[in-house]
Amino acid sequence: MKCSLLSAAGFAGVSIAVAKDIYVASYAGPVLRLSFTGNVDGSYTLREVGSTLECGSNPGWLELNQATGTLFCMNEAYTIANAGSVASLSKESLSVLDNITTDYGPAQSTFYAPNRLGLAHYAGGSVSVLDTSDPSNVVELQSFHYFMDKPGPNSTLQDKPYAHGIVADPTGKFVVVLDRGADALRTYSVGWDDRLAELGAHFTEPGNGPRHGVFVKGVSKTFFYVLGELTNSLHGFEVLYEGDGTLGFKQFYNDSAYQTGFGDASGIALPSEIAVAEGGKHLVLSTRDDGRSLYQGEASDTIVSYSVDFETGGLLLIGLTASGGLWPRTFAISKDGTLFAVANQYSVPGRLIVFLRDPETGIIDDQQPLATWTTDITLPDGQSISHVLWNE
């Protein structure tokens, strides 16, 4: 642990709900179902209870539809030129129900409406919508492609549009796509048949590289928090629901991912994932390649936790904790807030750790893991675990 700004003494009173499953996707090919269970001696175990290689070459993101018992797997297919696909799997057996070709490189997805799965295509520079009402016959309904007149400030990583994130607002009436290449927040309204209608784009600072974002509904305002991947930054916007039916953004917060001054570790640390817990009371993000934390005597990348002021949207730093390894591309917080699962993609071997988390304070106990699972299955470039998701 690098620092914890609130006391962790309350962990003894945290009650853990055990016997949960967690799904794991790996860029090396497998999609796995792990069982997290408690033992009679008070310890916890992660063990594999199912797996498949039928998602595709490079599974990168998972989405669960509990209503139909279906796990959707986005095959980013980054090791294959001009490829991408989505598989629907039984959430219990992981047997394949359908597997369809999509635009290139689906990197993130969200169910923004019942049976409407929106996809952000990183390599394709686009967004698409799938009808998943019949998991055995998934159908693409829409596709929107983006273009740029010239490269952004980072000519290597902003040479074209790269749609990396997609998220629905709290009203369910709007969807935002985060385009890292164009420094754009691309907005859509949800209309007839729950299809998307393109509204326009809000542009962030040049070279910022928006990756993923989350909404928080406050007392009288709604806030949108965005990771700037290329500047190791976190940005806060007040969401403006305009009278003409469009969506606007007014920035009020701009700092490094660690709240240590904008520009700190820019070009070195790479923010990867962001999530909210406890109804938006807490905001959590991960950074890759920073090496600022310590885990059991080893250098580790960092998990950053904030509390959110529901009145102003302001952020209070409450903890910088170790991810337990290298390159925490993804993490998942259980619905009750007590379990924090983080995947360290470049640890050798690939490492998934479940830590205890206090939902009252938001503090993660990063030095005493509840359970650890590792995998030797990696690609030649070292890529391993790409996404984790609790079965809830």
Side-chain angles (χ1 to χ4, degrees):
M1 177 185 293
K2 182 189 176 187
C3 74
S4 175
L5 305 182
L6 295 178
S7 171
F11 278 115
V14 177
S15 177
I16 304 173
V18 295
K20 294 177 181 286
D21 285 350
I22 188 167
Y23 297 105
V24 179
S26 169
Y27 270 148
V31 174
L32 307 105
R33 179 182 161 207
L34 306 181
S35 176
F36 175 78
T37 55
N39 305 313
V40 293
D41 63 357
S43 64
Y44 299 88
T45 302
L46 275 170
R47 63 184 181 89
E48 182 182 328
V49 294
S51 66
T52 182
L53 293 171
E54 298 302 316
C55 174
S57 56
N58 310 119
W61 189 267
L62 302 170
E63 204 74 48
L64 186 60
N65 187 336
Q66 292 284 12
T68 61
T70 310
L71 181 70
F72 291 89
C73 177
M74 299 346 109
N75 171 28
E76 192 170 342
Y78 78 93
T79 59
I80 303 173
N82 302 333
S85 60
V86 172
S88 54
L89 312 170
S90 163
K91 78 165 196 169
E92 300 298 333
S93 67
L94 298 184
S95 59
V96 178
L97 305 173
D98 196 11
N99 196 324
I100 70 165
T101 299
T102 67
D103 203 354
Y104 311 149
Q108 192 181 44
S109 65
T110 187
F111 276 107
Y112 66 86
N115 300 316
R116 293 293 182 267
L117 185 63
L119 309 178
H121 297 271
Y122 178 77
S126 62
V127 63
S128 65
V129 175
L130 305 184
D131 180 350
T132 65
S133 54
D134 180 358
S136 64
N137 184 29
V138 178
V139 177
E140 182 179 277
L141 294 180
Q142 293 178 283
S143 182
F144 302 85
H145 289 79
Y146 308 135
F147 303 94
M148 290 168 55
D149 293 332
K150 60 181 180 179
N154 188 323
S155 59
T156 301
L157 299 176
Q158 295 187 305
D159 58 315
K160 65 177 185 176
Y162 289 103
H164 208 304
I166 182 169
V167 60
D169 87 310
T171 70
K173 297 178 180 179
F174 298 94
V175 168
V176 179
V177 174
L178 295 95
D179 185 339
R180 195 196 71 182
D183 290 316
L185 307 178
R186 302 186 184 275
T187 59
Y188 296 82
S189 61
V190 180
W192 172 83
D193 195 33
D194 289 328
R195 297 179 184 235
L196 298 183
E198 197 165 11
L199 297 177
H202 174 91
F203 292 93
T204 65
E205 293 92 337
N208 179 50
R211 177 183 173 94
H212 289 173
V214 291
F215 284 94
V216 171
K217 185 173 176 55
V219 174
S220 60
K221 300 177 181 179
T222 298
F223 309 107
F224 189 48
Y225 300 93
V226 174
L227 287 182
E229 180 176 359
L230 304 183
T231 52
N232 186 43
S233 56
L234 177 60
H235 306 262
F237 299 88
E238 179 186 345
V239 181
L240 307 176
Y241 293 97
E242 308 289 6
D244 60 359
T246 60
L247 201 64
F249 301 94
K250 179 181 179 182
Q251 184 165 309
F252 65 87
Y253 182 90
N254 183 16
D255 207 334
S256 79
Y258 316 112
Q259 206 173 69
T260 49
F262 184 80
D264 180 26
S266 179
I268 301 173
L270 299 169
S272 52
E273 191 56 280
I274 185 170
V276 292
E278 290 78 52
K281 176 182 175 182
H282 295 121
L283 182 149
V284 186
L285 62 89
S286 60
T287 59
R288 300 163 292 173
D289 209 27
D290 68 90
R292 294 188 169 200
S293 298
L294 195 66
Y295 176 71
Q296 297 183 348
E298 298 179 355
S300 167
D301 289 334
T302 305
I303 305 298
V304 188
S305 300
Y306 293 96
S307 65
V308 180
D309 186 321
F310 281 176
E311 291 281 355
T312 66
L315 299 175
L316 174 67
L317 180 67
I318 57 176
L320 298 171
T321 53
S323 71
L326 305 176
W327 210 264
R329 182 183 186 88
T330 178
F331 62 81
I333 305 171
S334 61
K335 283 188 176 180
D336 65 4
T338 62
L339 300 174
F340 186 85
V342 55
N344 292 283
Q345 188 176 24
Y346 280 168
S347 289
V348 180
R351 184 185 301 165
L352 169 64
I353 304 177
V354 177
F355 291 116
L356 182 64
R357 179 179 177 275
D358 186 346
E360 289 299 317
T361 65
I363 291 294
I364 300 165
D365 184 359
D366 63 350
Q367 296 302 298
Q368 299 181 27
L370 298 177
T372 301
W373 177 84
T374 61
T375 177
D376 291 316
I377 302 175
T378 62
L379 291 172
D381 62 3
Q383 298 270 27
S384 181
I385 305 171
S386 52
H387 197 219
V388 292
L389 179 69
W390 289 104
N391 180 12
E392 293 181 311

